[in-house]
Amino acid sequence: MMIDTHCHLGKEDYDNIEEVIKNMENNIMIVSTASPSDIKEVIDLCEKYDNIYGTIGIHPEFANTYTKEDLETLKKYLKHPKIVGLGEVGLDYHYTKDNKQKQQELFILQIELANIYHKPLVIHSRDALEDTYNILEKYKNKDLKGVMHCYSGDASYAKKIINLNMYLGIGGVLTFKNEKKLKEVVNSLSTKYFVLETDSPYLTPEPFRGKKNEPVNIKYVAKKIAEIKQEDIGKIFEITTNNAKRLFDLVL
Ligand code: NI
């Protein structure tokens, strides 16, 4: 079984979403909100399809614009049985550095919600790894789990991150020809710290780079990990699937 631990299946993303979902028959998808206005759409997908779960949160891109109502909606649906995590949340200094304070406040507020609701965190961190680490270390409960979605730091930082009870989300970037840092991360850390993700419709792996991504392409990420670690791909699926089950408390 394959689990895509992080994808977006917005209506505007695909012409034929039914087909994209059908391609993942007998596998699992965990759909994340990209914007607070997606929360209801994620809930609808979770309720319609047995093999879809969701994570909801307020992305740092919305630190200046989210409303009180968005927060209320988030809290309400965090209790939904198929919402298995809080995210994606975090810090994005690539997009803008002008509102660091606001981004950090929103991140801290949602870490506290994750502590209260016992939901693992799905973290987006772009050009902000050090602040992300420091805030997590300070505000998360000791037993709170999470994943660094689309991990983009180096191997030594990865070791610090996993000590915070965090998994590393490994996606299509690993298959890119010129990507060295992530290959080094995969090479130097045990598979027991990895979960697979596509971040569909973005970050399409080779050999389809340039086209629209979809969850079934998760197999190319697994294949690349297997190649780097010189392991059987079945073993990579087995370990990462168990990691994902543990991380999101999935009872399948
Ligand atoms: Ni994403």
Side-chain angles (χ1 to χ4, degrees), residues 15-228:
D15 298 330
N16 192 346
I17 202 157
E18 299 285 331
E19 194 182 304
V20 169
I21 293 169
K22 180 102 174 50
N23 290 341
M24 278 293 272
E25 215 175 355
N26 303 320
N27 296 299
I28 304 283
M29 287 158 279
I30 301 179
V31 178
S32 275
T33 49
S35 127
S37 60
D38 295 343
I39 293 177
K40 196 66 186 61
E41 206 177 318
V42 168
I43 297 290
D44 288 345
L45 283 167
C46 289
E47 290 181 344
K48 189 165 175 198
Y49 299 96
D50 284 348
N51 62 336
I52 294 185
Y53 294 81
T55 74
I56 56 176
I58 301 172
H59 192 286
E61 204 182 313
F62 298 89
N64 288 351
T65 54
Y66 78 94
T67 63
K68 231 176 152 177
E69 207 183 341
D70 292 333
L71 261 184
E72 287 313 309
T73 308
L74 174 64
K75 285 187 205 164
K76 176 178 165 197
Y77 286 110
L78 275 175
K79 293 181 201 132
H80 191 286
K82 288 192 84 183
I83 294 303
V84 294
L86 205 159
E88 48 189 293
V89 300
L91 302 172
D92 193 326
Y93 298 164
H94 182 86
Y95 180 73
T96 176
K97 285 187 180 69
D98 300 339
N99 63 351
K100 279 187 178 180
Q101 182 77 29
K102 273 199 166 138
Q103 289 194 39
Q104 291 175 13
E105 281 166 14
L106 176 61
F107 185 31
I108 292 165
L109 189 154
Q110 293 184 98
I111 294 171
E112 283 165 348
L113 281 181
N115 288 331
I116 293 167
Y117 288 82
H118 304 288
K119 297 284 180 187
L121 282 168
V122 176
I123 297 166
H124 170 104
S125 176
R126 198 164 174 210
D127 296 347
L129 203 50
E130 198 161 334
D131 281 356
T132 306
Y133 177 86
N134 290 333
I135 289 173
L136 268 178
E137 194 188 29
K138 184 163 175 199
Y139 291 96
K140 78 179 233 355
N141 276 353
K142 229 178 95 224
D143 58 340
L144 187 71
K145 299 171 284 189
V147 53
M148 288 294 274
H149 143 61
C150 195
Y151 180 68
S152 58
D154 64 16
S156 68
Y157 224 95
K159 285 170 193 157
K160 286 180 69 165
I161 302 264
I162 59 178
N163 281 331
L164 291 182
N165 237 353
M166 294 278 143
Y167 288 88
L168 305 175
I170 309 291
V173 173
L174 184 69
T175 69
F176 297 174
K177 245 198 193 106
N178 295 322
E179 174 60 42
K180 291 198 176 75
K181 208 161 55 171
L182 190 57
K183 288 189 178 110
E184 178 55 30
V185 169
V186 167
N187 191 36
S188 60
L189 272 86
S190 161
T191 310
K192 73 178 184 196
Y193 301 113
F194 305 152
V195 293
L196 307 180
E197 60 171 52
T198 61
D199 206 18
S200 296
Y202 316 107
L203 299 174
T204 311
E206 295 288 2
F208 300 117
R209 195 174 176 187
K211 292 190 182 149
K212 188 172 279 188
N213 202 4
E214 59 169 292
V216 75
N217 289 335
I218 199 78
K219 57 185 164 214
Y220 297 101
V221 178
K223 196 172 155 221
K224 193 72 195 178
I225 296 178
E227 199 183 299
I228 293 170

